[in-house]
Amino acid sequence: DSSSASVIVNYPQGPYNGSYANGIFSVGDLDIQSFAPVAGPLAFWINGVYYVRGNIYENTYAGPNGQVLTISGTSDNIALSGSDGSNDFTGTYQGTGGVFIVGFSNGVYLPACPANADGSLQLAAAAPPSQYPPAISVPGYAVWQFLGTAPNDLNPSLTAAYYGNAAATGSTNSAPQNKMFLKIDTDGSGLVTLTDYSTQTSKTGHYEIEAPHLFQSSTDHRLPMPLLAVDPFQNNTIWDPLSNPSGRPATVLVGGEVWRYHGTDGNGVATYTGYYDGQSLTLGAPGRDGGQAVALNNPLGTNYQGTYLNGTFNVIKVPHLEVVTGNSTGGHVAATGLGLQSINGDLDILGNILSMGSLTGIQNTAGLTVGFSDILNSTSGIRSATVQFGVGRQNSNWLWSRATTDGSMSSVPMMKLDSQHQLMLYSPSDPNVPAVTISPTGESSFNGPVHLKPQGDLGMGAFGQSQQ
């Protein structure tokens, strides 16, 4: 019978013999009291503040600035009541680990989580809901683990999966990442909210429920990007990824940001998703030559088009933006097999763009682009064809030259169009100085006489009203 026992107490002027029954000691004149451990963790995280108790026999917890928390009940139904210094709060903890919600006297609901004295959070016993990751990599804040599901404190009518930094901090109130939670609504909307409970501010974004489970941030409430769904049991590798697409890069690096593969539709168009809502890059189905049309959409910048061939992107009209191939971890994959190629025959390009060269420091932006367009005027019904030459550098010069002798590697200039839009013509007898310079903004010059045909017209400006 565990409710009663014989007792021997070794004490000065003892030993003393007695008994214990129903929680009461009866040992001579000695006053002996029993204390049972109070169910509950050694600490609670509530609204970004740690409440810690001294030992397992106490039922009161203290915050760093005089906040007070009291618990009562059994291990599977612990009632909490306390104050954060401004408002009282109450709640119930079921003893299963992970996040739960407490209500404050000012009408708001805020999250709480059982914790340890070293500042680590106690994870939920249950696994994440299907299609929700076990952990999330948050740049600047390491890996945040799944802390359970509970009502969304910003909208208690909805349930959210909570994530936070569960690691020990060494100090229960010094680590800023332990004052923030990331929540994903589980109603299928994929709404993501990152709340900093030390400032009561939030940022929003979106999580894709289906694979590849990509995160995107709203453009006005920017999350720290890139957020990545990871598996903490597999060295924090990408969780539940799509297989790498055949003939396409696993990722695309756009201006240094890793845009991840999102899938391929029934027409063979592959899509890559950027960090922010609306950012996408598509690769069209391969053409006869293996080239793929590129369309880059960026609501934070400008939309662009280009081509992808032999592992190299040529994105047109993007002299400042580097687009390169990447592997599954976001590292750059250099294109290979791009040495000198010879074509023994005519070349018929069915596409509308021809590009060559690359800018120094922006290796995948074409140096020269020749484009053709055939556009229908919707008003007149007439088509107009246009051939466009473009250079990828703001300061650009166009030079026409000829060999000094047949087969010579040296040349002499014939005509030049400089970056100031001046047109220069060179004399065959003196190729060092232009004989004719036509400027659209300044003076034009002719190194020699200018002859007009009889009755030729040379405008001299409008006549005024002054005397002749």
Side-chain angles (χ1 to χ4, degrees):
D1 183 359
S2 60
S3 64
S4 62
S6 298
V7 176
I8 299 175
V9 179
N10 290 315
Y11 194 70
Q13 300 177 356
Y16 298 90
N17 296 309
S19 62
Y20 169 81
N22 299 319
I24 299 175
F25 287 92
S26 177
V27 183
D29 295 331
L30 297 179
D31 182 13
I32 302 176
Q33 299 181 11
S34 62
F35 297 93
V38 178
L42 286 177
F44 279 100
W45 181 104
I46 301 176
N47 189 28
V49 175
Y50 280 93
Y51 295 75
V52 183
R53 61 174 173 169
N55 56 65
I56 62 174
Y57 299 102
E58 297 179 1
N59 69 341
T60 59
Y61 298 70
N65 298 309
Q67 301 96 327
V68 177
L69 168 66
T70 302
I71 64 172
S72 62
T74 58
S75 60
D76 59 354
N77 190 24
I78 300 174
L80 292 81
S81 62
S83 173
D84 65 356
S86 300
N87 298 281
D88 297 335
F89 59 83
T90 59
T92 302
Y93 170 54
Q94 303 296 330
T96 55
V99 169
F100 61 100
I101 294 296
V102 297
F104 280 70
S105 57
N106 60 353
V108 302
Y109 294 87
L110 291 167
C113 188
N116 302 306
D118 61 1
S120 59
L121 301 180
Q122 296 185 8
L123 304 180
S130 176
Q131 303 298 328
Y132 287 78
I136 298 173
S137 173
V138 183
Y141 300 106
V143 173
W144 291 6
Q145 293 183 293
F146 173 68
L147 298 177
T149 57
N152 188 326
D153 56 289
L154 298 178
N155 186 358
S157 64
L158 297 176
T159 299
Y162 281 75
Y163 296 82
N165 182 12
T169 63
S171 173
T172 55
N173 284 285
S174 62
Q177 61 264 39
N178 273 12
K179 299 181 184 297
M180 295 185 287
F181 282 163
L182 186 144
K183 297 157 283 187
I184 307 175
D185 286 352
T186 58
D187 61 349
S189 67
L191 177 65
V192 174
T193 306
L194 175 65
T195 301
D196 185 339
Y197 291 96
S198 65
T199 59
Q200 299 300 319
T201 57
S202 296
K203 300 178 180 180
T204 60
H206 178 264
Y207 167 74
E208 189 167 33
I209 306 299
E210 304 295 331
H213 310 293
L214 299 179
F215 286 88
Q216 281 191 313
S217 173
S218 63
T219 55
D220 53 345
H221 298 93
R222 298 189 181 185
L223 296 169
M225 295 299 290
L227 294 173
L228 300 174
V230 298
D231 188 345
F233 305 106
Q234 298 293 329
N235 200 28
N236 295 323
T237 55
I238 299 297
W239 175 73
D240 194 23
L242 292 177
S243 299
N244 291 342
S246 176
R248 272 84 177 257
T251 61
V252 177
L253 280 61
V254 180
E257 296 182 351
V258 181
W259 291 23
R260 296 192 172 275
Y261 176 61
H262 188 270
T264 301
D265 66 15
N267 296 318
V269 177
T271 300
Y272 296 79
T273 302
Y275 293 172
Y276 299 100
D277 291 341
Q279 285 185 330
S280 67
L281 183 147
T282 58
L283 294 179
R288 187 179 67 179
D289 62 349
Q292 302 171 48
V294 176
L296 190 154
N297 300 304
N298 184 10
L300 297 178
T302 307
N303 299 335
Y304 303 107
Q305 294 182 340
T307 58
Y308 173 75
L309 180 64
N310 293 332
T312 299
F313 284 93
N314 283 310
V315 180
I316 309 308
K317 298 181 181 178
V318 198
H320 61 281
L321 183 63
E322 184 178 24
V323 182
V324 298
T325 58
N327 56 27
S328 59
T329 60
H332 173 45
V333 177
T336 59
L338 301 179
L340 177 64
Q341 304 292 324
S342 299
I343 300 175
N344 296 320
D346 298 331
L347 177 63
D348 180 17
I349 301 177
L350 299 181
N352 294 326
I353 296 172
L354 172 65
S355 63
M356 65 185 72
S358 59
L359 300 183
T360 302
I362 316 176
Q363 62 180 5
N364 283 281
T365 297
L368 170 66
T369 301
V370 180
F372 171 78
S373 63
D374 190 17
I375 301 174
L376 176 66
N377 187 306
S378 59
T379 302
S380 65
I382 300 174
R383 285 190 175 274
S384 297
T386 301
V387 177
Q388 178 179 346
F389 297 84
V391 179
R393 186 75 72 185
Q394 179 180 1
N395 294 322
S396 302
N397 298 296
W398 294 78
L399 178 65
W400 287 257
S401 64
R402 62 172 175 81
T404 55
T405 59
D406 291 349
S408 172
M409 296 300 293
S410 61
S411 62
V412 295
M414 302 169 65
M415 182 172 65
K416 179 179 179 180
L417 180 64
D418 70 10
S419 59
Q420 300 302 312
H421 300 191
Q422 296 184 117
L423 180 63
M424 306 171 193
L425 301 178
Y426 292 84
S427 169
S429 60
D430 185 6
N432 296 314
V433 179
V436 177
T437 299
I438 300 176
S439 173
T441 58
E443 294 183 355
S444 299
S445 64
F446 298 83
N447 187 16
V450 178
H451 298 282
L452 299 177
K453 291 183 178 181
Q455 298 181 352
D457 186 10
L458 182 62
M460 302 298 292
F463 289 103
Q465 301 298 320
S466 60
Q467 295 181 353
Q468 300 297 314

